[in-house]
Structure formats: C-alpha cells, structure tokens
Amino acid sequence: MKEGWVNPLRDPRDKRLPRIAGPSSLVIFGITGDLSRKKLMPAIYDLANRGLLPAGFSLIGFARREWEHQDFGQQIHDAVAEYARTPFRESVWNRLAEGIRFVHGSFDDDEAFDELAETVRTMAEERGTGGNTAFYLSIPPWAFPVVTKQLARCGLAQASEGVWRRVVVEKPFGHDLESARELNAIVNEVFPEDSVFRIDHYLGKETVQNILALRFANQLFEPIWNANYVDHVQITMAEDIGIGGRASYYEGIGAARDVIQNHLLQLLALTAMEEPGSFEPEALRAEKVKVLSATTPVGPFEETTARGQYVGGWQGGKRVLGLHQEQGFPKDSTTETYAAVTLQVRNRRWAGVPFYLRTGKRLGRRVTEVAVIFKRAPHLPFDSTATEELGENALVIRVQPDEGVTLRFGSKVPGTTMEVRDVTMDFGYGHAFTESSPEAYERLILDVLLGEPSLFPGNEEVELSWQILDPILKHWATLGPPEPYEPGSWGPPSAEAMMQRTGRHWRRP
Ligand code: BG6
C-alpha cells in the first residue's frame, strides 16, 4: 500500500461521504405554520428516509393550538405525505413518529416552557438525544425576545460540557439596519454567536453552491471574471405566484426586504467575492463580508431603481387578483411586489461594473438566475451586416427551475455567406447527473444538527445587507404608491426604462 494513503471510507475529512447527525433533538416554534408544513417537516422526513438522522432523533413542536398528541402526529404525517421529496415509506414514518412530541402554550406561558424543558430532559433519557437541542424559531421577529428569554429562564439555552444548544432563526432579520442590530443583540444576549444559525434557504440550494464550484474549481472563468471583461451582472429571481394568504407577513415588507436583502445579496456575494483561503466557515464568511462591505447602491434612485405592484388580470389563462384585492391587504397598500436596484462593488475587480438585482411576484415565469454579461469584442473584423444579430457573450447560472449553466456566444450561421448569430451551450443538472438534489431545507437542517455553519450568513453579513438596501428603502418611503404592472409581465415600465437609460436591457429568461 502506498505510504500516506488514507482509506477514504475511514477518512473523516472525505467530504463525499454522507454526514449523519449525532444524537440530537429539534424543537420547532411555529410548528403549525406554512413553512413548517411545506418545508421543515418534509425535509426532516427526507433526512430520516435517507438515513441521515440519528436513531433516537426527537422532534418537539411548540404551538399555541391545543392539539392532542395524535392529532399533531397526523398533521405532520399529512404534510410529509404531501410535500416530501423522497417516497413515503410507512416504516420510516413510524420510526420518526416515535420521537415526536407536542407542547402547547403561548410564548409568555412559564408553565409551558417548563414542560418543554421537561420534555427535552425526558427525550435525553428515553431516546438518548444527549440533551443536544436546536431551537428553530419559525415565528415573527416580535416573538424572538420573549421566546429567547423563556429558553434562558428555564435553562434550555445553556450549553454544558458535551451538550450543545443552538438556535435557528428564520428571516426577516429586522426591517432595516437598526432593527436588525436590535434583533441580533436580543438573540446574542441568550445564545453565543457560534450557536446562532440564520437561515437563508438560497444558500442550501445545489445551484447556488455550484457558483463556488464553477468559479473556484475551474481555470477557465477566473481570468475573465472582472471589470476588464464583464460589462454587467444581472441577478433575477422571478416568481409567477402572487402573495395571497401571506398578507400578515408581506404587507409593509415588500419584495426588496423579502428577497433582495437576503437571497439576492447572497447570490451577489458569491458571484463577486474573492477566492477564500479554504471553505472553512470563517474563511468563506470573511470573503462575503469583504465584498458586501464594498457594495453600495448606485443613484439617483429615481433612475436606477424600480418598484411595482401587480394588478388583477389574466395569467396563464387564469384570472388572478391584484394585490389590493388579495385578502389582508389594504386597498391603498404601498407594499411593492416588484423591486429592481442597481448596485456597485467598489473594488479593483469590479470597478464600474453595475450589478442589477430584480425580483417580483406574478411575473412571466418562475426563474432564478445569475447572468454575467461580457463586453463586446473590441473589434469585429466582419461586415457590419454579418454581426447585426450578435449579442454579448453571457454566462448564465440557472439556479432554478431548470438547474444548470448556459454559455452564450456567437457562431457562424451555416451557408456560403458570413453571418454570426448567438448560440447557447447548455449544461443541465438533469442530464449530467443521475443524483437528484436535496431540498435546501434538508441540507440546512442537517447542517444545524451537525453544527456546520458555512451555509448560514453571520450577523455581519445580515447587517451589511441592510446597510446596502436602507438608502433605497428610505427613498422609496418618500414616494407614492408603486407603479402598477400586469400579471404575467416582466414588471413595471420603469424597470425597463432604468436599463434603457444605460443602453442595456433585462434578459427575458
Ligand atoms: C422566500 C420568500 O424566502 O422565498 C418568498 O419569503 C418566496 O416570498 C420564496 O416565494 C421563494 O423560494 P424558492 O425556493 O421557491 O425560490
């Protein structure tokens, strides 16, 4: 055997091996909510189905609703059967169900929290969880202070020798820089920063992680990944759904706070950051912090941003409501459902390269992508008619739904004349790999249980993201209602105008 050879099956550093969580339990606050039903429960089941949870894994739900234990189990069963990614298997479900408990009470109810503490202890004894517990706050931010204080009061927040305690926080992390700082302070008063896991589920997506692989595992792209070659970058997250049913969360929040502050700025950070020294969490976070510190909005905002609100009409052959008619939204709601902003990254690599970020509901189709648009060749030795239909070279990272990468470049049109036209070269996950991608929440919940923080933004990143967005939000707050746009369109006319002013145009994915 070669000296120094390490059996990869035995080598704990081999990142290809499946990682299985150690003894642990998960407590979910807000277990009756939509997120829990559609994402968290199915993800936990999928992890169990893939054999990645420990034998005695326990799940404790905490909610105000007075459920009998069986009813609670039934609710989870139904959610899992409907939304899980992997096939439903009764045997896996039964094993998981043995470790499910429910505690009911309100957040200011001391007795309920004492019961929760007792349940965590019982699970440690009966199921060997070791007392290791993650608390998932799938609740509105106003409830963070009372819940974290309760956890501290009944001793649940306190880690001890060989026993970990972690908290998982869902967005929104505040509504501006100041409130984000307050929220971070509240959480950090009870949980030390290295026990806080802030969820940005985009970081759990396969294709988002592929940005790192594409950039740093290849020689091809790095030399052209800068202002010498890149004209601009477009980051798009378009959805065809509206926001019916989510008024209590969305009203007063709007598209920029909901999506740009977190998902899109994280995509920008991964696209624009320098190569980290390693993929250790601290090294990765340090690079993201550095690039976000260098990112600022470009003004004047009347020309460089756009905001819109969808009206009622027809989409895909179906009649849909406008935001004003959706339940829970006031008739004069000024909440934007479309937002586009122009940012710059003030460093040597990106000087002068605009980053355009846009997101919206009820748009033409559901698509998320990062498009790096290159400058035109400095000289085209063809007749001008030969290149009339030639656009810019583009590298498009398709985050979803058709995950992959597209490269667009000019090619000769077959024939006896010289004509150059754009063609695309495609890599699709579906064709290239047989493995299917785990759901973002599967990966992130597993990472919480493993104590692996790489894919969770630190508080500095969250605060920097607000710092970038705040001036734009302040400007918008001085304006009247957002510009209306038709369902199924690509946003309000001002979005197109903002690009045209710079001689560019949005992609039509
Ligand atoms: C959430 C937003 O973070 O992301 C929602 O709050 C949005 O408004 C959702 O619909 C989109 O997630 P995905 O994974 O379907 O792109």
Side-chain angles (χ1 to χ4, degrees), residues 321-386:
L321 299 177
L323 183 86
H324 284 161
Q325 296 132 352
E326 304 261 28
Q327 203 186 354
F329 286 95
K331 293 275 162 282
D332 56 354
S333 168
T334 56
T335 301
E336 86 277 357
T337 57
Y338 178 98
V341 301
T342 309
L343 306 179
Q344 60 185 338
V345 180
R346 293 154 61 95
N347 60 20
R348 178 177 287 239
R349 184 189 284 268
W350 295 115
V353 178
F355 283 72
Y356 300 108
L357 276 50
R358 64 174 164 166
T359 184
K361 304 275 181 192
R362 286 243 178 277
L363 298 183
R365 58 176 284 228
R366 173 172 182 253
V367 60
T368 300
E369 62 168 42
V370 176
V372 180
I373 314 291
F374 292 90
K375 292 181 174 165
R376 283 176 181 276
H379 173 68
L380 292 172
F382 302 92
D383 291 342
S384 60
T385 51

Side-chain angles (χ1 to χ4, degrees), residues 171 201-202 205 237 239 246 258 263 361 366 400:
K171 66 182 188 89
H201 79 282
Y202 264 60
K205 289 184 191 270
M237 176 182 159
E239 293 181 281
R246 289 181 74 207
D258 181 37
H263 308 327
K361 304 275 181 192
R366 173 172 182 253
Q400 62 186 29

Side-chain angles (χ1 to χ4, degrees), residues 203-459:
L203 294 180
K205 289 184 191 270
E206 197 73 50
T207 31
V208 171
Q209 289 167 46
N210 191 38
I211 298 176
L212 299 179
L214 187 88
R215 290 193 57 202
F216 303 127
N218 295 301
Q219 176 73 333
L220 191 58
F221 305 111
E222 176 56 23
I224 53 169
W225 212 257
N226 56 51
N228 294 336
Y229 296 93
V230 174
D231 178 74
H232 70 280
V233 177
Q234 293 186 20
I235 303 181
T236 300
M237 176 182 159
E239 293 181 281
D240 51 4
I241 50 168
I243 31 196
R246 289 181 74 207
S248 61
Y249 162 72
Y250 203 85
E251 169 58 11
I253 293 277
R257 288 185 173 95
D258 181 37
V259 163
I260 296 184
Q261 186 271 338
N262 36 75
H263 308 327
L264 298 197
L265 280 173
Q266 284 291 325
L267 289 180
L268 178 145
L270 297 177
T271 306
M273 73 184 198
E274 296 302 316
E275 181 175 305
S278 73
F279 283 124
E280 290 304 315
E282 298 75 34
L284 194 61
R285 278 183 182 175
E287 289 308 334
K288 284 200 283 171
V289 164
K290 216 162 83 190
V291 75
L292 289 171
S293 313
T295 305
T296 56
V298 176
F301 298 141
E302 309 80 63
E303 295 181 5
T304 56
T305 70
R307 72 199 246 281
Q309 193 182 70
Y310 62 80
V311 296
W314 291 89
Q315 188 182 27
K318 269 200 352 218
R319 188 145 192 88
V320 294
L321 299 177
L323 183 86
H324 284 161
Q325 296 132 352
E326 304 261 28
Q327 203 186 354
F329 286 95
K331 293 275 162 282
D332 56 354
S333 168
T334 56
T335 301
E336 86 277 357
T337 57
Y338 178 98
V341 301
T342 309
L343 306 179
Q344 60 185 338
V345 180
R346 293 154 61 95
N347 60 20
R348 178 177 287 239
R349 184 189 284 268
W350 295 115
V353 178
F355 283 72
Y356 300 108
L357 276 50
R358 64 174 164 166
T359 184
K361 304 275 181 192
R362 286 243 178 277
L363 298 183
R365 58 176 284 228
R366 173 172 182 253
V367 60
T368 300
E369 62 168 42
V370 176
V372 180
I373 314 291
F374 292 90
K375 292 181 174 165
R376 283 176 181 276
H379 173 68
L380 292 172
F382 302 92
D383 291 342
S384 60
T385 51
T387 53
E388 235 166 41
E389 294 198 39
L390 178 67
E392 301 96 347
N393 296 158
L395 182 78
V396 184
I397 299 160
R398 306 194 309 269
V399 174
Q400 62 186 29
D402 172 25
E403 291 88 353
V405 179
T406 302
L407 187 62
R408 185 178 72 191
F409 54 94
S411 176
K412 184 182 173 310
V413 179
T416 50
T417 55
M418 178 52 94
E419 188 190 347
V420 185
R421 214 185 278 165
D422 285 336
V423 293
T424 55
M425 204 155 80
D426 268 347
F427 146 66
Y429 268 80
H431 293 119
F433 299 111
T434 48
E435 299 91 339
S436 68
S437 304
E439 273 283 320
Y441 276 100
E442 278 172 70
R443 181 179 318 233
L444 296 177
I445 291 172
L446 182 62
D447 278 355
V448 169
L449 300 178
L450 289 163
E452 163 57 62
S454 301
L455 298 179
F456 299 83
N459 59 4

